[in-house]
Amino acid sequence: MRCQICRGKASVEVRQHHAAFCPNCFVEYFLKQIRRNIQAHKMFSPTEPLLLVVSGGKDSLSLWDALLRLGYNVTALHLDLGIPGYSDRSRETCKSFAAQRGAELRIVSVDEEFGLSIPELARKSRRVPCAVCGRVKRYLFNRYAVEGGFTTVVTGHNLDDEVSALLGNLLHWQTGYLARQHPHLPSTHPKLAKRVKPLYTLTERECLAYALIQRIPFLAEECPHAEGATTILYKEALNHIEEASPGTKLAFMKGFLKHKDLFKAAEEEVKLKECALCGQVTTEDVCAMCRLRERIGARVKISKRG
Ligand code: AMP
Ligand code: FES
Ligand code: ZN
């Protein structure tokens, strides 16, 4: 197999584009895809202050590396979820990457914010950890971005994450979610940062290849609560289809974005207000996060800065 750019020996095959690259040309290809996604969806400008949220996994750390190389104004935030063992390893992995690259990393702990970790919040609210975790992450990422003067929350969601969410939303005809699924969700309120996903066309395999080539010290372990999640089932099903018909995932994603207007009618007209307790954006008088915290007796941090 020859690299399609330099004709040297290829070591990374990108089946969705019927292409193969040598390590150096693969890095160039990966960076070019990210730059193209940022520009095509007008995600952010080269100087805008970005808050990249990093889990310690290969996707978000590869994106961190790529945004630094491309010269974007990026600060990383890691949220310590307080999951025994796993969270310590995730935090330390982010710290070693930051130290290796001399990059700026901030760490916020769920326990310090709410007085309870994710497993404790889940137990007290009698919900599955992933559901509580998703809500806490969205809330804290946005609050941290707005209070810190960042215009944008950047996440490491890749093509596999996006198509599995898309398949789940279609299987259950979640038209409201379909109307809102997009790699660039603009800000609709001064206290709402825009949210973008520059890796949405790159597969998990491509992110892994990039992380290995760049010698990124990522955590390969999955969150212990992710086991058995339906997204894993959808990813496996899509991998079977992709294996037989390379390029299906990307075509599925791009086709959805092209036909997104089909779901426009499901887009709810919502009136945004500021939560009476924490000041964050909500459609109710008190936001869902503060209601949850009040119900289970967790600490409510009054914060109206920003
Ligand atoms: P996941 O939902 O675990 O697939 O993660 C999707 C994206 O959310 C990752 O690529 C990160 O950008 C971000 N993320 C997940 N967990 C954390 C965390 N503990 N701290 C900061 N960002 C995170
Ligand atoms: Fe949130 Fe697993 S429960 S990452
Ligand atoms: Zn609130």
Side-chain angles (χ1 to χ4, degrees):
M1 233 177 7
R2 299 256 143 226
C3 169
Q4 73 168 54
I5 309 285
C6 73
R7 311 306 303 161
K9 190 172 172 324
S11 55
V12 189
E13 193 183 1
V14 180
R15 290 187 69 203
Q16 63 171 342
H17 295 301
H18 310 288
F21 300 100
C22 71
N24 285 344
C25 293
F26 176 76
V27 166
E28 286 310 310
Y29 150 83
F30 192 88
L31 295 175
K32 206 164 139 189
Q33 290 280 322
I34 292 179
R35 203 187 303 114
R36 187 188 294 166
N37 290 344
I38 293 169
Q39 288 169 355
H41 291 288
K42 298 187 171 52
M43 291 184 181
F44 43 79
S45 73
T47 52
E48 253 180 87
L50 312 173
L51 186 69
L52 170 68
V53 287
V54 292
S55 62
K58 63 189 180 323
D59 309 315
S60 50
L61 294 193
S62 289
L63 182 56
W64 194 1
D65 181 278
L67 293 175
L68 289 170
R69 280 174 203 275
L70 291 169
Y72 285 101
N73 180 6
V74 60
T75 298
L77 170 73
H78 174 72
L79 191 59
D80 184 338
L81 306 169
I83 298 171
Y86 171 74
S87 288
D88 299 325
R89 292 188 285 276
S90 305
R91 191 187 57 243
E92 292 312 309
T93 307
C94 293
K95 279 164 87 173
S96 22
F97 179 87
Q100 203 184 72
R101 305 292 152 103
E104 196 182 345
L105 170 69
R106 303 192 187 169
I107 296 175
V108 167
S109 123
V110 174
D111 203 336
E112 273 168 33
E113 287 292 322
F114 300 152
L116 293 170
S117 66
I118 289 291
E120 288 165 342
L121 280 169
R123 207 167 32 247
K124 284 210 156 193
S125 62
R126 295 202 186 87
R127 301 225 175 118
V128 286
C130 293
V132 177
C133 180
R135 176 170 289 181
V136 167
K137 279 180 189 162
R138 270 193 305 280
Y139 177 87
L140 288 178
F141 291 165
N142 183 69
R143 202 181 81 190
Y144 199 88
V146 171
E147 291 182 354
F150 299 97
T151 59
T152 314
V153 172
V154 186
T155 62
H157 290 97
N158 60 35
L159 178 61
D160 295 73
D161 297 325
E162 291 308 290
V163 286
S164 80
L166 176 57
L167 181 62
N169 288 340
L170 283 169
L171 287 175
H172 301 101
W173 290 112
Q174 303 268 25
T175 51
Y177 289 162
L178 287 162
R180 285 197 305 275
Q181 188 176 348
H182 199 274
H184 176 179
L185 289 176
S187 164
T188 49
H189 185 280
K191 283 197 165 182
L192 207 53
K194 69 174 131 91
R195 281 180 285 157
V196 299
K197 301 170 180 173
L199 295 179
Y200 86 98
T201 56
L202 290 152
T203 60
E204 205 167 294
R205 230 183 121 257
E206 289 169 87
C207 295
L208 174 63
Y210 184 85
L212 293 173
I213 293 170
Q214 302 290 52
R215 298 180 191 281
I216 293 170
F218 65 90
L219 185 70
E221 175 187 345
E222 289 280 346
C223 164
H225 299 295
E227 225 168 278
T230 47
T231 50
I232 297 182
L233 175 67
Y234 299 154
K235 280 186 182 176
E236 282 171 2
L238 286 158
N239 281 340
H240 278 300
I241 303 172
E242 182 76 17
E243 188 63 33
S245 174
T248 301
K249 288 181 198 170
L250 190 60
F252 187 31
M253 188 68 223
K254 293 211 158 163
F256 165 66
L257 293 178
K258 206 161 135 197
H259 294 102
K260 222 178 143 319
D261 281 352
L262 292 174
F263 302 100
K264 215 173 167 52
E267 218 166 342
E268 283 169 47
E269 222 9 86
V270 287
K271 196 155 167 31
L272 296 175
K273 312 179 207 178
E274 290 181 21
C275 169
L277 292 178
C278 72
Q280 288 304 290
V281 175
T282 171
T283 50
E284 312 285 332
D285 292 332
V286 172
C287 77
M289 200 61 238
C290 286
R291 276 183 278 138
L292 172 79
R293 286 186 283 184
E294 280 193 320
R295 203 167 66 238
I296 65 175
R299 192 188 311 139
V300 176
K301 187 172 171 184
I302 309 294
S303 163
K304 290 228 179 200
R305 286 176 292 140

